[in-house]
Amino acid sequence: MAQVGEHDQLEWLGGGIMEVLLDADHTGGHLSVFRSTVPTATASPVHLHPDEDEIFVMLRGSGLIWAADRRFELHAGGVAFLPRAVPHAYRFTSDDVDMLAIATPAGMEGFLRDAGWDRSRPKPPGWAVTPEALRRSAAANGQVILGPPLAAGEMIPAALLSAHQ
């Protein structure tokens, strides 16, 4: 169990806040739960999780979700399932996004904590989640960054898909 105020809060992509609601320690390694609040439109790089399935639940706002050769628009109340080892990405298309992400099994939280900024500590001026920090953290925590964020009209390049099938 974890109560409000006990969750790790990380500064994440676009200056948003990623809360680690449940991690491996809370669930015996079965799953992790994260809550993201994003004040401005932001996007992830194209990436995959070799060992974790991921579920997005859009609580507020909207976004585009890419999974392999498909693109979905997700609105408040929408849910997306992203199977492990499938290249995917997201781009929020509205301000004030609030989203839950569930990963099974647990473990993805190591990547998030390593690349994000622990908000319980003073932040250095100019600090941001950078592509280099994401790549470094991914390599150290069993995740794979495949390419840069996608524009709304793009699809995941076929070369990235064929390299990971």
Side-chain angles (χ1 to χ4, degrees):
M1 180 177 338
Q3 298 291 339
V4 171
E6 297 175 346
H7 310 298
D8 288 348
Q9 289 194 357
L10 308 171
E11 184 166 325
W12 193 241
L13 296 172
I17 305 302
M18 173 81 67
E19 290 182 276
V20 180
L21 303 181
L22 293 171
D23 62 14
D25 291 340
H26 291 102
T27 68
H30 292 283
L31 63 92
S32 302
V33 180
F34 315 103
R35 185 172 187 172
S36 298
T37 52
V38 182
T40 58
T42 192
S44 75
V46 178
H47 63 284
L48 61 81
H49 314 290
D51 300 318
E52 300 95 2
D53 294 322
E54 190 172 24
I55 299 167
F56 288 167
V57 181
M58 189 69 71
L59 302 174
R60 183 178 61 238
S62 60
L64 295 172
I65 310 293
W66 289 266
D69 61 352
R70 300 180 70 195
R71 181 178 60 217
F72 306 92
E73 193 166 346
L74 201 61
H75 299 282
V79 178
F81 174 67
L82 304 166
R84 67 189 69 197
V86 172
H88 63 277
Y90 61 83
R91 173 173 291 281
F92 297 124
T93 55
S94 69
D95 291 341
D96 202 27
V97 168
D98 189 356
M99 185 181 80
L100 285 179
I102 302 157
T104 182
M108 194 184 306
E109 62 271 18
F111 164 69
L112 300 172
R113 287 178 172 138
D114 189 36
W117 186 264
D118 180 346
R119 295 189 72 221
S120 69
R121 301 180 304 146
K123 184 173 76 168
W127 183 91
V129 176
T130 63
E132 296 78 28
L134 289 173
R135 280 192 289 278
R136 177 188 48 77
S137 181
N141 290 283
Q143 308 300 309
V144 182
I145 304 294
L146 300 172
L150 300 170
E154 291 184 296
M155 295 299 289
I156 296 175
L160 292 179
L161 297 176
S162 62
H164 296 281
Q165 290 184 357

